[in-house]
C-alpha cells in the first residue's frame, strides 16, 4: 500500500535579483521493505522573463538532491514553472496545484509510463475531468463539503488506470473495480486420467454457440478467401512432391481430400478452431524416409502406414491420459521464436527458390530456338530421354519431362509474384491509413489478398504473348496410383502378406511422427494463443492433440497423409481475423474466434478438385507472392526478428519494450546471437540427410535455455526478454548488470 504526503518544503527569496522561488515536494512512501521517492515542484517569478516557461523532467533513476530538499529522499520527477512577476498568474497556487496532481497515484503512474508529451497531457486532462470546482459561496455546511470530497475521491479512484502499474508502484488496497481474475492455466495438471482434456472441453464448449454467431462479420469472409488460397497452394505443392517421393502411392488427390475432411472435423470439434491444419515439410521428410525403408525391405509402404497409424492412436491416448501436454510449459519463448523464424524463412526461401527455377527453365537470352532444337513437341511440357552407360556396358534410360523455354516468361512471372506481394502488403498498410472513410478503408484492407490475386489473374489473361505456369489441379476423386491401391487399405497386405514383426516395429516410426505433430501443433497453439492477441475463449492443448493425431491414425486406413497444425497458415489466419483499434497507433482489440472460416476453407479445398477448369486460370507465380506475403507478415510481432534488426540499429532508436529499456545493448545482442546460431544449426540439419533429426535438435533448445538462466544470463534478464509487451511487472530489483532507461529524457 502506498501513501502520499504533500508539503511545502522551502520558500526561498532573493531580493537582490528579484527572484522568488517556492519549492513543494510530494513524497511517495512505501512499506518498510521499499524505498521512499519524492516529486519536486518549483514555482516562482523572475523579473527578466517576459512570458511564463514550464518544464517537466523525469529522471532515468531516482536520485537524492541534497541541496534541494531538507530530507534525503530520492527524487524522480521535477516540475518547474517560472514567469514574469507582473501579471495575474499566482505561481504559489499553481505550484500547490501541481503538487496535488503529483500526489495523485494514477497520474504519478501515468507520468512514469508515459512515452511522449501527449500521454502526459492526456493524464492531466484525465485528472481534470474528475475534478469538481465548487464556489465557496455554494458550500452551506461541513457535511455538504464532505459529500463533495467523497464523491470526487470516488471519481479519481474509479479512473481507468495504466496497465501493469506494478512496474513502478505497489498495488493500492483501495475500493474500486477489482482486477481481472487470472485465466485458468490450460497446462495445469489435474492428477486425474484425461483431466486436462476434460478441462479443455468444459472451458471451450460453454461458448460453442458464439463460435458461429461471431462469424457474422465481413472480415471473416475476407479471411476465408485469403486462407483458401494459402491452404490450396501448399496442398497442391506438397501433394506433387509427395507423389514424386512415394512413386504416386499418395499425391495431390489424397492430400486435398485429407485436408478437406480432417479440416472440417477439426474445425467443428477443436478447442482452438483458429488453427489451420495441413501438410508440412517435416512430415514430407518422414514419408520419404519411411517409403525408402519399406522399399528396401520389400514391404508394402501403404500398408506399413496403417500400422504406424494404429500405434499413433495408442501413443496419443496414453499421452493425453497422462496429461503429457504439460511438457509444453517447458517450451519457452526462446524456442518458440526460433521455430517461428525457421518456418517463416522456409516460406520465404521456397518462394525465391521456385522463382529461380523459373529463371533456369526460361533464361533471359536473345535466341530461344537453340534451347528447344531437340524438342519436337509444340507444347510446353516435353519428354526428354537420356541414356547413361556404366563401366560394365549396361545402358540406363532416364526419361523426364522438361519445360520448353519461352521468352518473357521469367520476367512476367517475377512481376506477377512481386506484384501480388506488394499489392497485398500495401493494402494491409492502407487499412490503418488516412485515406477514404474508415469502414471502406478497413474493408479494402481485409480483402487485400483476394484483390491482389484477382488483379494478377487479370494481368496474366491480358498478356497473351507470354506463357506462365498455371495451377495444376487433379481431375476427379481418384487415387494417384489406381493400379497399386484403392481408397481402403487392407492392414494385412494389399498384394502380399504384411510381416507380423513389422506390425510391432511400426511403433518406432509412429513415435517419430507423434513427436513431429506434437511439436509443430503445440508450438503453433502457443504462438496463436499468446496473451497479446487478447483471445478470450481459450485453447485446448490436450483435446486438440488427441483430435489431430487420432484423425491421422484413422486416416492411414484410407491411405491419405497425416496433418498437423501449420504454423505460418495458422498465424496468418489469426492475423486475418484480428480486429485493430482506430488511430495512428492501432492496437489489437480482439480476434474473431469462430469456426466458420476454417470450415469453409476446408470445404473449398475439397471442392477445388471439381473446380479444375477455373483454377487452371490462376498463375502459380501469383500464389508464390502469397507465400512471400505470409512469410514476411508472420515475422511481425516476433521479438527475435525485432532484436535481429536491433543489431544494425543505433541505441537511440531502440524501441520502448521492456528488454530494450532495462537491459544493456550488449546483453541483448548476445542473447540474439545465440538464437541466430541455433537457427542456423536447425537450418543446416533441415537441409542435410539427417533432416529427420530436426525435431530432436529443436528440443535441445529447451535445456539450452534452462542452462543459460542463472549462468550466462540472470533471472531478471530472462524475465525482461520473456516479457510479452513493453510494460513488465518486475518482482525483483535490477542487478548491477541491468541497464535502465526511462522513455522520456
Amino acid at each position: 500500500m502506498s501513501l502520499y504526503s504533500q508539503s511545502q518544503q522551502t520558500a526561498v527569496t532573493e531580493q537582490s535579483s528579484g527572484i522568488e522561488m517556492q519549492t513543494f515536494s510530494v513524497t511517495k512512501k512505501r512499506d518498510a521493505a521499499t524505498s521512499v521517492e519524492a516529486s519536486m515542484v518549483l514555482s516562482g517569478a523572475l523579473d527578466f522573463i517576459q512570458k511564463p516557461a514550464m518544464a517537466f523532467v523525469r529522471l532515468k533513476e531516482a536520485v537524492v538532491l541534497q541541496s534541494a530538499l531538507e530530507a534525503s529522499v530520492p527524487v524522480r520527477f521535477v516540475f518547474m514553472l517560472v514567469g514574469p512577476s507582473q501579471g495575474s498568474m499566482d505561481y504559489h497556487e499553481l505550484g500547490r496545484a501541481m503538487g496535488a496532481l503529483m500526489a495523485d497515484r494514477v497520474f504519478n503512474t501515468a507520468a512514469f509510463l508515459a512515452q511522449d508529451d501527449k500521454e502526459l497531457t492526456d493524464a492531466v486532462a484525465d485528472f481534470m475531468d474528475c475534478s469538481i470546482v465548487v464556489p465557496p459561496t455554494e458550500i452551506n455546511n461541513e457535511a455538504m463539503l464532505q459529500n463533495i470530497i467523497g464523491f470526487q475521491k470516488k471519481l479519481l479512484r474509479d479512473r481507468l488506470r495504466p496497465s501493469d502499474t506494478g512496474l513502478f508502484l505497489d498495488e493500492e488496497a483501495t475500493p474500486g473495480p477489482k482486477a481481472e481474475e487470472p485465466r485458468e492455466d490450460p497446462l495445469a495438471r489435474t492428477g486425474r486420467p484425461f483431466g486436462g482434456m476434460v478441462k479443455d472441453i468444459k472451458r471451450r464448449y460453454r461458448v460453442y454457440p458464439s463460435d458461429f454467431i461471431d462469424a457474422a462479420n465481413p472480415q471473416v469472409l475476407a479471411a476465408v478467401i485469403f486462407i483458401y488460397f494459402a491452404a490450396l497452394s501448399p496442398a497442391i505443392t506438397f501433394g506433387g512432391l509427395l507423389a514424386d517421393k512415394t512413386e504416386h502411392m499418395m499425391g495431390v488427390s489424397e492430400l486435398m481430400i485429407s485436408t478437406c475432411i480432417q479440416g472440417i472435423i477439426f474445425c467443428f470439434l477443436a478447442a482452438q478452431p483458429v488453427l489451420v491444419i495441413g501438410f508440412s515439410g517435416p512430415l514430407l521428410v518422414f514419408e520419404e524416409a519411411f517409403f525408402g525403408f519399406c522399399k528396401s525391405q520389400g514391404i508394402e509402404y501403404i500398408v506399413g502406414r496403417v500400422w504406424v497409424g494404429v500405434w499413433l492412436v495408442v501413443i496419443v491416448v496414453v499421452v493425453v491420459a497422462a496429461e503429457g501436454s504439460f511438457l509444453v510449459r517447458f517450451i519457452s519463448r526462446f524456442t518458440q521464436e526460433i521455430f517461428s523464424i525457421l518456418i517463416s524463412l522456409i516460406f520465404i526461401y521456397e518462394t525465391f527458390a521456385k522463382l529461380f527455377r523459373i529463371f533456369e527453365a526460361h533464361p533471359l537470352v536473345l535466341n530461344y530456338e537453340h534451347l528447344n532444337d531437340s524438342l519436337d513437341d509444340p507444347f510446353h511440357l516435353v519428354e526428354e530421354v537420356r541414356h547413361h552407360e556404366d563401366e560394365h556396358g549396361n545402358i540406363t534410360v532416364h526419361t523426364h519431362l522438361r519445360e520448353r523455354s519461352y521468352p518473357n516468361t521469367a520476367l512476367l512471372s517475377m512481376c506477377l509474384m512481386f506484384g501480388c506481394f506488394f499489392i497485398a502488403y500495401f493494402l494491409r498498410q492502407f487499412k490503418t491509413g488516412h485515406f477514404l472513410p474508415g469502414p471502406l478503408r478497413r474493408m479494402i484492407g481485409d480483402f487485400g489478398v483476394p484483390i491482389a490475386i484477382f488483379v494478377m489473374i487479370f494481368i496474366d489473361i491480358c498478356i497473351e504473348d507470354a506463357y506462365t505456369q498455371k495451377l495444376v489441379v487433379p481431375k476427379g476423386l481418384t487415387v494417384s496410383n489406381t493400379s497399386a491401391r484403392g481408397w481402403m487399405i487392407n492392414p494385412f497386405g494389399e498384394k502380399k502378406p504384411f510381416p507380423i514383426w513389422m506390425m510391432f516395429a511400426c511403433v518406432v516410426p509412429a513415435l517419430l511422427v507423434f513427436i513431429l505433430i506434437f511439436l509443430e501443433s503445440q508450438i503453433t497453439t502457443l504462438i496463436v494463443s499468446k496473451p497479446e492477441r487478447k483471445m478470450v475463449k481459450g485453447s485446448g492443448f490436450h483435446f486438440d492433440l488427441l483430435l489431430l493425431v487420432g484423425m491421422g491414425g484413422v486416416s492411414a486406413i484410407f491411405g491419405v497423409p497425416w496433418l498437423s497444425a501449420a504454423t505460418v497458415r495458422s498465424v496468418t489466419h489469426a492475423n486475418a481475423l484480428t480486429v485493430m483499434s482506430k488511430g495512428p497507433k492501432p492496437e489489437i482489440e480482439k480476434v474473431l474466434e469462430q469456426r466458420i472460416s476454417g470450415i469453409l476453407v476446408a470445404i473449398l479445398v475439397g471442392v477445388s478438385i471439381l473446380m479444375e477448369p477455373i483454377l487452371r486460370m490462376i498463375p502459380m507465380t501469383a500464389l508464390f507472392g502469397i507465400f512471400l506475403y505470409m512469410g514476411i507478415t508472420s515475422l511481425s510481432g516476433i521479438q527475435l526478428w525485432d532484436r535481429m534488426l536491433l543489431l544494425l540499429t543505433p541505441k537511440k532508436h531502440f524501441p520502448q519494450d521492456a528488454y530494450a529499456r532495462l537491459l544493456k545493448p550488449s546483453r541483448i545482442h548476445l542473447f540474439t546471437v545465440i538464437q541466430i546460431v541455433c537457427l542456423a544449426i536447425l537450418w543446416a540439419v533441415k537441409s542435410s540427410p539427417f533432416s529427420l533429426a530436426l525435431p530432436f535438435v529443436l528440443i535441445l533448445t529447451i535445456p539450452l535455455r534452462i542452462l543459460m538462466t542463472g549462468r550466462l544470463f540472470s533471472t531478471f534478464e530472462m524475465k525482461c526478454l520473456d516479457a510479452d509487451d513493453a510494460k513488465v511487472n518486475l518482482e525483483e530489483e535490477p542487478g548491477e548488470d541491468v541497464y535502465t532507461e526511462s522513455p522520456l529524457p
Side-chain angles (χ1 to χ4, degrees):
M1 175 175 167
S2 300
L3 300 175
Y4 292 81
S5 64
Q6 178 188 350
S7 60
Q8 181 174 341
Q9 195 77 12
T10 58
V12 182
T13 304
E14 297 186 17
Q15 300 294 344
S16 59
S17 59
I19 301 176
E20 182 179 354
M21 296 291 294
Q22 296 178 343
T23 304
F24 302 86
S25 69
V26 182
T27 306
K28 180 174 76 71
K29 301 177 182 179
R30 297 189 181 185
D31 53 32
T34 56
S35 59
V36 179
E37 290 184 1
S39 299
M40 188 167 65
V41 179
L42 303 173
S43 64
L46 299 175
D47 294 335
F48 57 85
I49 291 182
Q50 297 181 357
K51 61 180 181 179
M54 180 178 62
F56 183 87
V57 179
R58 182 178 65 200
L59 302 180
K60 180 171 62 177
E61 295 180 1
V63 296
V64 177
L65 304 177
Q66 297 288 355
S67 59
L69 301 177
E70 295 180 356
S72 299
V73 179
V75 176
R76 182 176 295 273
F77 298 101
V78 177
F79 175 81
M80 179 176 292
L81 174 65
V82 292
S85 56
Q86 290 80 18
S88 59
M89 186 174 295
D90 190 338
Y91 298 103
H92 175 75
E93 293 300 326
L94 287 174
R96 292 184 58 187
M98 191 62 193
L101 188 64
M102 292 304 302
D104 178 64
R105 175 182 179 79
V106 178
F107 176 81
N108 205 283
T109 307
F112 182 84
L113 298 175
Q115 299 184 12
D116 51 40
D117 53 353
K118 184 179 183 303
E119 294 186 9
L120 192 63
T121 55
D122 288 345
V124 176
D126 186 32
F127 179 86
M128 295 302 299
D129 289 340
C130 298
S131 300
I132 301 175
V133 179
V134 181
T137 55
E138 299 295 329
I139 301 177
N140 299 325
N141 51 54
E142 188 70 21
M144 180 180 178
L145 179 61
Q146 293 298 326
N147 291 336
I148 295 175
I149 294 175
F151 180 67
Q152 178 165 1
K153 285 183 177 180
K154 184 178 184 303
L155 288 177
L156 293 173
R157 187 169 56 239
D158 293 345
R159 277 181 297 166
L160 180 64
R161 303 188 177 204
S163 59
D164 285 333
T165 56
L167 174 68
F168 176 53
L169 304 172
D170 300 323
E171 290 299 325
E172 184 179 3
T174 55
K178 294 184 179 180
E180 182 181 354
E181 293 293 331
R183 293 185 178 181
E184 180 184 8
D185 185 3
L187 297 174
R189 303 189 70 183
T190 63
R192 300 185 301 272
F194 298 100
M197 186 191 73
V198 173
K199 284 174 54 181
D200 290 343
I201 295 175
K202 289 181 177 179
R203 178 175 58 249
R204 195 61 173 83
Y205 275 39
R206 64 187 178 190
V207 294
Y208 192 85
S210 67
D211 291 337
F212 297 91
I213 298 174
D214 294 345
N217 192 303
Q219 191 169 341
V220 175
L221 177 61
V224 169
I225 301 175
F226 172 24
I227 301 301
Y228 164 62
F229 289 105
L232 178 65
S233 183
I236 294 174
T237 304
F238 280 122
L241 294 174
L242 190 59
D244 293 337
K245 304 296 185 183
T246 62
E247 296 181 1
H248 294 274
M249 295 302 294
M250 288 191 302
V252 178
S253 298
E254 290 83 1
L255 184 51
M256 292 181 68
I257 291 174
S258 178
T259 303
C260 173
I261 297 176
Q262 294 191 47
I264 293 174
I265 297 174
F266 182 82
C267 289
F268 263 116
L269 301 178
Q272 184 51 276
V274 175
L275 298 180
V276 177
I277 64 173
F279 201 68
S280 62
L283 289 174
L284 177 64
V285 172
F286 169 81
E287 296 285 6
E288 180 182 6
F290 187 65
F291 176 81
F293 170 80
C294 292
K295 186 176 181 180
S296 64
Q297 299 296 320
I299 299 172
E300 289 183 303
Y301 157 75
I302 200 69
V303 179
R305 293 184 78 258
V306 175
W307 289 101
V308 173
V310 171
W311 285 109
L312 269 178
V313 174
V314 174
I315 293 173
V316 73
V317 169
V318 172
V319 170
V320 173
E323 301 181 292
S325 291
F326 85 95
L327 296 172
V328 177
R329 65 171 66 253
F330 296 103
I331 303 178
S332 63
R333 186 169 188 162
F334 180 83
T335 301
Q336 294 177 40
E337 290 176 342
I338 294 174
F339 182 77
S340 301
I341 293 285
L342 176 67
I343 300 299
S344 298
L345 292 182
I346 288 175
F347 265 71
I348 297 172
Y349 171 79
E350 290 297 330
T351 299
F352 286 101
K354 293 171 183 175
L355 182 64
F356 290 151
R357 283 194 289 270
I358 293 177
F359 272 84
E360 291 178 356
H362 308 277
L364 303 179
V365 296
L366 295 177
N367 183 9
Y368 279 79
E369 293 301 325
H370 75 279
L371 296 176
N372 303 319
D373 286 342
S374 61
L375 308 179
D376 299 326
D377 195 306
F379 300 101
H380 61 276
L381 280 180
V382 297
E383 190 176 87
E384 192 174 64
V385 180
R386 295 179 182 177
H387 298 80
H388 175 71
E389 183 177 352
D390 59 15
E391 57 184 6
H392 301 291
N394 299 322
I395 298 177
T396 305
V397 179
H398 298 278
T399 304
H400 70 283
L401 295 176
R402 184 173 82 80
E403 285 188 284
R404 289 178 60 91
S405 298
Y406 286 93
N408 303 322
T409 293
L411 289 178
L412 180 58
S413 298
M414 183 178 67
C415 292
L416 292 176
M417 187 188 86
F418 284 109
C420 191
F421 165 75
F422 282 117
I423 291 176
Y425 193 82
F426 168 77
L427 293 180
R428 172 188 169 98
Q429 305 297 323
F430 179 80
K431 182 178 179 180
T432 57
H434 304 284
F435 299 101
L436 300 183
L440 179 60
R441 183 176 65 242
R442 287 189 291 274
M443 180 175 294
I444 294 175
D446 293 337
F447 286 87
V449 174
I451 291 173
I453 293 175
F454 292 137
V455 169
M456 292 302 106
I457 294 175
F458 177 76
I459 293 175
D460 183 65
I461 293 175
C462 292
I463 303 177
E464 299 179 352
D465 297 336
Y467 158 76
T468 54
Q469 182 183 358
K470 302 300 189 295
L471 194 61
V472 180
V473 184
K475 296 181 180 180
L477 300 174
T478 58
V479 296
S480 299
N481 192 339
T482 54
S483 61
R485 52 158 295 189
W487 280 115
M488 289 290 292
I489 309 300
N490 184 358
F492 300 102
E494 286 284 309
K495 305 295 183 181
K496 56 184 178 180
F498 192 76
I500 297 179
W501 67 269
M502 189 61 186
M503 297 179 184
F504 297 94
C506 283
V507 66
V508 177
L511 183 61
L512 181 57
V513 173
F514 177 78
I515 293 175
L516 290 173
I517 298 177
F518 179 88
L519 283 178
E520 188 161 10
S521 300
Q522 302 290 53
I523 291 179
T524 302
T525 304
L526 282 174
I527 295 171
V528 169
S529 304
K530 288 192 297 186
E532 55 262 37
R533 289 192 181 275
K534 300 181 180 179
M535 301 176 75
V536 297
K537 296 184 180 181
S539 57
F541 291 91
H542 308 274
F543 182 66
D544 288 353
L545 180 66
L546 178 66
L547 187 60
L548 264 178
V549 181
M551 287 192 304
V554 175
S555 67
I557 300 176
F558 303 97
V560 297
W562 299 299
L563 303 180
S564 66
T567 305
V568 172
R569 278 161 273 178
S570 299
V571 172
T572 307
H573 188 209
N575 291 339
L577 296 173
T578 300
V579 179
M580 305 297 293
S581 62
K582 303 176 184 179
K585 294 182 179 180
E587 297 180 353
I588 295 177
E589 286 187 351
K590 63 178 180 178
V591 176
L592 299 174
E593 301 177 66
Q594 39 74 47
R595 300 177 185 270
I596 296 298
S597 60
I599 294 173
L600 291 180
V601 168
I603 293 175
L604 288 174
V605 171
V607 174
S608 297
I609 300 179
L610 308 177
M611 298 166 55
E612 180 258 346
I614 299 176
L615 294 178
R616 284 183 181 272
M617 300 173 60
I618 302 176
M620 280 294 295
T621 48
L623 298 183
F624 295 168
I626 299 303
F627 267 50
L628 182 62
Y629 172 83
M630 292 168 59
I632 291 181
T633 55
S634 60
L635 291 174
S636 63
I638 301 178
Q639 189 195 95
L640 172 57
W641 177 252
D642 296 336
R643 285 188 278 106
M644 290 169 67
L645 299 179
L646 292 184
L647 293 173
L648 306 175
T649 305
K651 178 63 184 73
K652 62 181 180 180
H653 297 302
F654 273 30
Q656 295 302 325
D657 295 328
Y659 66 88
R661 291 187 293 109
L662 302 175
L663 302 183
K664 295 180 180 179
S666 59
R667 307 295 293 173
I668 299 174
H669 297 334
L670 176 61
F671 191 80
T672 304
V673 170
I674 293 175
Q675 285 185 294
I676 293 176
V677 172
C678 295
L679 181 63
I681 294 174
L682 285 171
W683 186 275
V685 172
K686 181 197 76 71
S687 306
S688 70
F690 307 100
S691 54
L692 278 178
L694 181 65
F696 300 104
V697 178
L698 180 63
I699 290 175
L700 292 178
T701 60
I702 298 175
L704 174 62
R705 198 265 187 196
I706 295 175
L707 289 174
M708 290 193 305
T709 305
R711 294 175 174 84
L712 192 58
F713 296 94
S714 67
T715 305
F716 177 82
E717 289 175 321
M718 284 298 192
K719 183 176 180 180
C720 292
L721 291 165
D722 285 341
D724 289 323
D725 53 27
K727 303 177 181 68
V728 57
N729 185 14
L730 304 180
E731 296 177 355
E732 55 183 87
E733 292 298 324
E736 296 180 355
D737 58 344
V738 176
Y739 174 82
T740 58
E741 181 174 357
S742 181
L744 286 179

